[in-house]
Amino acid sequence: MAERKHVLGVYGPGSNHWVGDGFPVRNLFPSNGLSRQVDPFLMLDYAGPSYFPPSMEPKGVGEHPHRGFETVTIAYQGAVDHRDSGGNSGTIFPGDVQWMTAASGVVHEEKHEREFAKKGGTFEMVQLWVNLPKAQKMSSPRYQGITNEQIPVVDLGGGSKARIIAGELDGVKGPAKTFTAVNVFDVRLAAGSRVELNLPDGHNSSLVLLKGDVLLNGAEKLEGEAQMAVLGPEGGAVLLEAAADSVLLVLTGEPIGEPVASYGPFVMNTKAEIMQAMADYQAGKMGHLV
Ligand code: MN
């Protein structure tokens, strides 16, 4: 068996804020000073779980741009409506994942789905930003609407399972097309289960606990809500022992290792490219909602 990955650090939310009026988020990174350690991932916001009373006007974020990376939205409770300048639109229901490649530029809006907003209820989702290598930052945008049914499940034993959104676990491949080697697994651990999770040697790896109680490698503990462990790239596995039913998002990726210049919704390699992104957005070159 390969040596286990080392736990480099355990973190709680580094910042709490609202994204628009629909997403009360706890940010796990880049707050907490995490960037190089989580490359190729750029940002992770955990929205909710929060109760929203009935509202005739869906809450969320209006028209805004992105360039240079991908936004991945994973719905746990409630639903999100999406509409973008590429003419793509869709609703992300619990279990579904939207993998949007902004690349050269997309303008979109993200709102609570109309029926959910009308009825009110508990809202819970994750938004993850995945960086693109320099060579793909100005490629064409792409939209992958991935439904719950398209996501294969790996039985981890003892009532535990992993949904493979991207990448591969134990020979089972996820549906998301990616530009670099990444794994995104939605892992549900049953109380009392003990799982040796195989992760690639050389990948930066993180375990984000949405809720639960998990002991890592018999030593470090993730407990409560919105806790994250950063693991080193070396080694090939991590031992998970759940003391309670737990929901974990497992992220691994081959580091891109290029310079990062970011400003709000734009993530490029240089400051000049950020200035260009702002100018292109202002000039309407990223399109408009259709
Ligand atoms: Mn957005």
Side-chain angles (χ1 to χ4, degrees), residues 64 66 71 108 110 127:
H64 63 279
H66 293 290
T71 66
H108 74 164
E110 299 157 276
Q127 187 163 92

Side-chain angles (χ1 to χ4, degrees), residues 152-156 160-164 169 185-188 197:
V153 177
V154 172
D155 187 348
L156 299 173
S160 295
K161 61 177 188 171
R163 300 172 67 237
I164 313 303
L169 179 67
F185 308 149
D186 170 13
V187 173
R188 312 295 173 108
L197 196 65

Side-chain angles (χ1 to χ4, degrees), residues 136-159:
Q136 270 95 39
K137 280 187 180 292
M138 292 300 285
S139 63
S140 298
R142 182 166 81 185
Y143 181 88
Q144 301 177 71
I146 300 167
T147 62
N148 185 35
E149 296 70 38
Q150 294 171 320
I151 299 172
V153 177
V154 172
D155 187 348
L156 299 173

